[in-house]
Amino acid sequence: MFPATARRLIAGAVTVTGLLSLTLTADGADPAVADGRAAATVLSCIGQIDMNVVDTPGGTATGRGKLVCEEPGRPDLAAAIVISGSVTGGGARVTETRSSDTISFETGKKSHLTMDRRFERSSDEIKGDAGSAGNGRVDSGEFAGAVARDKGVGSFVIGATGTTYIMDRLTLTLDR
């Protein structure tokens, strides 16, 4: 079970997600649902990521963050995530990215993921609310083969070289 602070963060993320009028959708069906199996969660995390995105096709998408994870039999597993990728598309308030992520657990183990994320800004202002949604797969390391999903709620700031997304209420799950 997550500690009380983590449970409050999750509850806040769910509440804020419901309040924001962002239309974040993931392309494609869940592979486990498509073949009739129920997905089993092997890792659940909450935390935050900061992403710096150069908002042009082929622009860079880099970031890092801190997570508190829970796997069966092991709650409160601290982890760090490093994200490196590029912009693959988008529009007026939307940026789509593909990245190679590395999650480093306090145990010394790592998971290497490929993730497609969609960031959406709530306005055309230089700062405001934002949300994110991502889908991918664990390519190697701990939990290899698991399906990865994340969803974030936070803010954005547009600067001289791109946009910074601060997803301070992020949930990440790995399912098999």
Side-chain angles (χ1 to χ4, degrees), residues 48-52 119 128 130-131 152-157 163-169:
Q48 58 78 206
I49 60 171
D50 295 343
M51 287 287 293
N52 297 307
F119 294 91
V153 177
S155 59
F156 74 92
V157 176
T163 304
T164 299
Y165 293 94
I166 302 115
M167 297 293 107
D168 53 10
R169 291 173 303 278

Side-chain angles (χ1 to χ4, degrees), residues 31 40-45 67 69 81 99-105 109-117 134-150 172-176:
T41 298
V42 294
L43 186 74
S44 296
C45 303
L67 304 169
C69 302
I81 186 169
S99 63
S100 296
D101 301 1
T102 299
I103 300 175
S104 300
F105 300 98
K109 295 184 179 182
K110 295 183 178 186
S111 292
H112 302 281
L113 298 79
T114 299
M115 292 290 291
D116 292 318
R117 285 189 183 88
N135 289 298
R137 178 166 292 285
V138 181
D139 299 319
S140 63
E142 192 74 357
F143 310 109
V147 173
R149 285 183 205 78
D150 67 18
L172 169 78
T173 59
L174 302 181
D175 300 319
R176 291 192 199 251

Side-chain angles (χ1 to χ4, degrees), residues 24-43:
L24 299 173
T25 59
D27 292 336
D30 178 349
V33 174
D35 73 3
R37 292 180 292 124
T41 298
V42 294
L43 186 74

